[in-house]
Amino acid sequence: MLTRLLPLLLATAPVWAQYAPANPEWNRPVAPFRIAGNLYYVGAEGISSFLLTSPQGHVLIDTGFEETAAQVEANTAKLGFRFTDIKLILATHGHNDHTGGIAVVKRKTGARFLANPAERTTFLEGGVNDFAWPGRFAYRPVTPDGALRDGEPVRVGPLAVTPHFTPGHTKGGTSYAFTVEDSGRPLRVLVACSVSTPGYKLVDNARYPDIVRDVESTIAKMRALPVDIFLSGHGWDFGLTEKAKARATDASAALFLNAADYRAWLDKSLAAFRAELDKQRAARR
Ligand SMILES: [Zn+2]
């Protein structure tokens, strides 16, 4: 009997186990809050998710881990928005901490998911063939509904979000630029993709031969973008914890005007990258 049941049990058991679990520290809940204008934070403590709203539907940038998706859903409701009004999902890059929840959010909302074509296969395979960590940060595969084009805005009602292809951390890393209006003032927002190369082989990387060129050109490209509000996939890059706390008593958009922090983040990222590159080149000699 058991042998007859076994295939059925396997077929119905959650495939969950094969996916990398959430980092519990990163996944700690954060009370959602307004960043500026129609832009809200709906992510967790160490992993971001941003909701850009309009009366004609919303855009969600990154979902966190699969386990974060329920928080994103609850946070959206707490802010008074309907989860099913999310019409478009975007992702900074195909690692499970940013995109593990996309399949769930897509199923629950029916939203379209548009992706950088260079990351498409990664999403289709759930990250199992990542050039640096094949399979280690696998997630539920998700099929993009269409392709983004570098510098070409995507729209939901009055919302326009411009994807900037910023490869290096992954081959299809993408940052998103848009403008929000706060107290009659337009503010330029950038949700920056990670540019770190944690443990990556930078020299003679057969799985990503252009990695050095990509990281250098991505940081140069990011430098040229006009930014009033800098945000990223990880809260520590833009002081999420302190800002979320300050938000309780300070409702102003000024709390998030951090262009200087953005420049400092780029400088720090480039310095870390070059130091690691020098180290790897020296070790090869
Ligand atoms: Zn990553």
Side-chain angles (χ1 to χ4, degrees), residues 93 95 97-98 169 194:
H93 66 281
H95 284 158
D97 49 343
H98 304 272
H169 181 73
S194 301

